[in-house]
Amino acid sequence: MKLIFSGIIIPVSTIDWYGKSASVVFFNGCNFNCLYCSNNKFIEVANRLEPLFKKGTAVDIEEIEKQILDAKSFISAVVFSGGEPTAHLRELEHLAKFAKGQGLLVGIETNGYYPERLQGLIEKKLVDKLFIDVKAPPDDSKRYAIITGGAKDAAEHVLRSLAFRDVAIEVRTTVFRSFADVTGIARSLRGHDCTYVIQQGIPEYAPDEKIKKEKPFTRDELEALAKSVSFLKDVRIRTREKGEERVKNV
């Protein structure tokens, strides 16, 4: 069966995997409908289908392979993002195999909803690092469901994705003044060998009208949030002003 890719690719990025230059492949569509999603225009679909969301640019998957090859001299990794890349398991696995076959590292930016699919990719040695977007304390299923647009079992699935021990993990939380329970999320990460990154949310991109009116956290405010979770060993902030910084004295 011929595989089709629906989404976009950024040939070279230096911000999606800290310290590495990577091609970033954005899959269209997502199983969540988050209140503050900055990619909401890109991932919007008329209806939700699996494994392929058919909206936007749909091309033969060989075209994506060609773009990765064209960028190969400038990159050391490929990051699969979205939307939710694990919602397209066949296409994701195919492209991950291709990237690994080119000697490139593979990262997956994910909402963590499909731990079984992630486990399969890990067992096949097709992923080197997971970037898991954790939106609220995973032990608060009600709040998690509100943020994700009604996915009642989202928190349970994320907890299972956080439990992986045989792959590098970076946890990311994008913070807005309405949703900034960094302490609760950080407590859920105790005992996990992971980096925790607190990202500056950009309210103007949010689909929710109330969030649009909020002021973004400043860089200094994010630093204070990071220092408030000093029980984690590797905490970072990511802002428009200075990019990614490891917070000292954490």
Side-chain angles (χ1 to χ4, degrees):
M1 180 177 66
K2 193 171 186 64
L3 293 179
I4 303 296
F5 173 83
S6 179
I8 63 172
I9 179 171
I10 296 176
V12 180
S13 167
T14 58
I15 62 174
D16 285 81
W17 190 330
Y18 184 73
K20 299 190 183 302
S21 180
S23 286
V24 185
V25 179
F26 290 89
F27 285 86
N28 200 5
C30 187
N31 57 309
F32 287 173
N33 186 26
C34 295
L35 296 174
Y36 54 71
C37 180
S38 61
N39 285 351
N40 64 90
K41 296 298 183 184
F42 165 63
I43 67 172
E44 188 179 53
V45 289
N47 48 48
R48 294 173 180 171
L49 303 172
E50 287 190 79
L52 181 65
F53 297 88
K54 294 183 178 178
K55 187 175 180 180
T57 303
V59 298
D60 291 345
I61 210 161
E62 288 80 7
E63 174 60 27
I64 305 303
E65 294 174 352
K66 180 179 182 301
Q67 292 189 54
I68 292 172
L69 282 176
D70 289 345
K72 186 179 175 182
S73 298
F74 308 100
I75 62 173
S76 60
V78 178
V79 174
F80 297 102
S81 188
E84 178 49 45
T86 58
H88 313 255
L89 184 59
R90 285 181 298 178
E91 292 79 10
L92 174 60
E93 183 170 331
H94 178 94
L95 287 171
K97 284 180 179 177
F98 176 81
K100 295 297 286 184
Q102 298 301 316
L104 298 168
L105 298 171
V106 168
I108 298 177
E109 295 180 344
T110 177
N111 61 29
Y113 188 77
Y114 297 107
E116 294 87 357
R117 300 180 186 188
L118 291 171
Q119 181 65 53
L121 293 167
I122 293 168
E123 290 176 353
K124 293 175 182 178
K125 301 188 183 305
L126 294 178
V127 56
D128 298 285
K129 190 167 187 176
L130 296 178
F131 303 92
I132 303 177
D133 183 7
V134 179
K135 304 165 190 298
D139 58 358
D140 189 343
S141 59
K142 184 176 180 180
R143 188 168 182 78
Y144 222 101
I146 290 171
I147 295 173
T148 57
K152 294 181 179 179
D153 55 354
E156 170 194 340
H157 290 216
V158 169
L159 275 172
R160 290 162 58 196
S161 291
L162 289 171
F164 294 127
R165 301 290 182 182
D166 45 0
V167 66
I169 293 178
E170 177 179 298
V171 174
R172 297 171 173 176
T173 299
T174 305
V175 291
F176 297 83
R177 297 191 185 275
S178 301
F179 302 98
D181 192 354
V182 166
T183 301
I185 294 171
R187 285 174 180 158
S188 74
L189 301 178
R190 277 177 164 157
H192 292 271
D193 185 14
C194 65
T195 300
Y196 184 40
V197 179
I198 305 168
Q199 300 187 137
Q200 183 184 50
I202 309 299
E204 65 190 84
Y205 297 155
D208 184 89
E209 292 302 320
K210 291 183 179 179
I211 297 176
K212 279 182 185 293
K213 298 175 183 178
E214 295 179 4
K215 291 183 178 180
F217 280 99
T218 65
R219 183 237 168 245
D220 289 346
E221 287 176 317
L222 288 190
E223 182 180 38
L225 283 174
K227 288 184 176 180
S228 74
V229 294
S230 59
F231 48 84
L232 296 182
K233 67 179 182 179
D234 187 357
V235 184
R236 307 180 183 204
I237 59 173
R238 188 174 293 146
T239 64
R240 278 180 166 183
E241 297 96 318
K242 293 193 175 181
E244 183 166 314
E245 303 171 75
R246 185 168 184 175
V247 177
K248 296 178 181 179
N249 301 321
V250 168

